[in-house]
């Protein structure tokens, strides 16, 4: 009898499949290209297939869940879901030091932006570990955050006196220093705010604005990266991460880099050119019908003025708010890459 029971137990063990590791993932804005072209294919197909079925994924997005933007990473740290990704600037109320990841006007190309991100990554890793009980998996870009206006503008000076929706706290500080009024409006509410005069202008990525129909309620496009690149951080709850085997951690790390992060960065530069063409009709639009917004030339004087304000006012203000040794760490990493020192 004992031998029979042993045989039955052994047979049952052999017949029972090894349970797959299920990961609950909350993606960024469901309507935007970063999610549709990179996040969703990676989590829904690429990673599960690469794991040979050892990983299954339940995928939704934060807007589909109606999550408050400032709640996304705190809820991740609490284990409400396993993985989350959204714009880092949404979390700066809880972690002001995180603003140092996505500084406006310092990166004008995707290669420059990625060099900044790579330099900042050790800082971001520590911030997410300490503030949000999370492990950073990837940092991907939206295209440069440019200015949409439902008002006639001919350059940076014309923003003075206008109400402008900023894409982050550092951008809001920059706009205020330029004489504009920074207004806090969520991304989904911007079209109505532009149409109704709540704001005169708004900052977001050119592709995001095209996908969300901002061209319907704005007339002029100022392609100066006043909002940086709106870096999107993908992180996993630290308890979940630590509960994975070393082999599974290695698999996820490698696959996230090759199957999601690298492709998103590779397309970022061409995306800006294509998105401006889609919004203005100046060039070929691969995404659909080209629109007819007025493209405003950015003069060298405009750029130099904005960058001078950034380095003399905005960055020192951030260093004071972040406190600790964050400005020193920034100077020794990001600052060295971009040739800027916070005094």
């Amino acid at each position: 009898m004992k031998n029979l029971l042993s045989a039955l137990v052994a047979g049952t063990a052999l017949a029972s499949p090894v349970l797959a590791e299920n990961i609950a993932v909350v993606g960024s804005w469901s309507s935007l290209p970063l999610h549709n072209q990179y996040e969703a294919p990676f989590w829904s197909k690429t990673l599960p297939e690469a794991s040979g079925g050892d990983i299954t994924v339940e995928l939704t997005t934060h807007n589909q869940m109606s999550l408050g933007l400032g709640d996304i990473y705190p809820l991740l740290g609490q284990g409400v879901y396993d993985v989350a990704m959204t714009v880092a600037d949404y979390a700066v109320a809880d972690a002001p030091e995180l603003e140092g990841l996505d500084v406006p006007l310092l990166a004008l190309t995707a290669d420059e932006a990625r060099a900044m991100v790579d330099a900042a990554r050790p800082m971001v890793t520590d911030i997410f570990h300490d503030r949000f009980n999370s492990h950073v998996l990837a940092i991907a870009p939206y295209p440069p955050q440019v200015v949409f206006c439902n008002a006639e503008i001919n350059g940076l000076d014309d923003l003075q006196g206008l109400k402008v929706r900023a894409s982050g706290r550092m951008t809001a500080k920059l706009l205020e220093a330029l004489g504009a009024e920074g207004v806090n409006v969520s991304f989904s509410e911007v079209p109505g705010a532009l149409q109704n005069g709540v704001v005169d202008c708004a900052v977001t990525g050119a592709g995001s604005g095209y996908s969300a129909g901002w061209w319907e309620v704005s007339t002029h496009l100022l392609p100066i990266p006043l909002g940086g690149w709106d870096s999107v951080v993908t992180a996993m709850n630290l308890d979940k991460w630590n509960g994975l085997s070393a082999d599974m951690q290695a698999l996820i790390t490698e696959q996230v880099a090759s199957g999601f992060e690298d492709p998103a960065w590779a397309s970022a530069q061409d995306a800006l050119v294509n998105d401006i063409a889609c919004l203005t009709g100046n060039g070929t639009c691969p995404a659909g019908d080209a629109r007819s917004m007025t493209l405003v030339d950015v003069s060298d004087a405009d750029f130099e003025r904005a960058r001078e304000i950034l380095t003399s006012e905005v960055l020192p203000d951030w260093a004071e708010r972040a406190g600790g040794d964050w400005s020193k760490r920034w100077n020794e990493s990001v600052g060295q890459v971009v040739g800027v020192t916070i005094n």
Side-chain angles (χ1 to χ4, degrees), residues 36-219:
N36 291 320
Q37 296 176 19
Y38 302 103
E39 288 175 3
F42 174 77
W43 291 104
S44 298
K45 184 177 180 181
T46 303
L47 182 60
E49 288 184 353
S51 75
D54 289 342
I55 294 174
T56 61
V57 172
E58 297 175 21
L59 176 65
T60 185
T61 64
H62 59 65
N63 58 298
Q64 290 170 337
M65 294 181 69
S66 299
L67 293 176
L69 297 177
D71 296 330
I72 294 165
Y73 292 129
L75 291 175
L76 172 66
Q78 295 168 27
V80 174
Y81 30 77
D82 301 319
V83 174
M85 56 210 76
T86 195
V87 177
D89 276 335
Y90 294 161
V92 298
D94 292 312
E97 60 272 27
L98 192 55
E99 292 177 52
L101 168 63
D102 188 38
V103 180
L105 300 169
L106 296 185
L108 301 183
T109 68
D111 287 344
E112 292 171 349
R114 184 152 200 192
M116 282 180 57
V117 163
D118 288 345
R121 188 157 181 158
M123 293 192 300
V124 177
T125 297
D126 288 347
I127 293 166
F128 272 74
H129 183 281
D130 296 341
R131 294 280 194 175
F132 303 117
N133 186 42
S134 301
H135 172 74
V136 172
L137 294 173
I139 306 175
Y142 281 129
Q145 304 295 289
V146 296
V147 187
F148 291 72
C149 286
N150 194 17
E152 183 174 351
I153 60 169
N154 296 299
L156 203 61
D157 285 342
D158 292 335
L159 295 181
Q160 186 168 352
L162 298 184
K163 295 171 290 186
V164 185
R165 180 261 187 184
S167 59
R169 185 177 296 181
M170 205 174 277
T171 303
K173 293 285 185 183
L174 179 59
L175 287 166
E176 289 167 5
L178 289 167
E181 178 187 350
V183 180
N184 184 21
V185 179
S186 71
F187 178 82
S188 60
E189 294 173 340
V190 167
L194 282 166
Q195 188 171 33
N196 297 322
V198 175
V199 296
D200 303 297
C201 304
V203 177
T204 196
S208 302
Y210 177 81
S211 298
W214 288 19
W215 45 269
E216 295 182 288
V217 290
S218 53
T219 58

Side-chain angles (χ1 to χ4, degrees), residues 4-30:
L4 177 60
L5 288 173
S6 298
L8 286 172
V9 169
T12 302
L14 290 172
S16 300
V18 177
L19 293 178
E21 186 71 50
N22 186 61
I23 300 177
V25 178
V26 176
S28 62
W29 293 101
S30 62

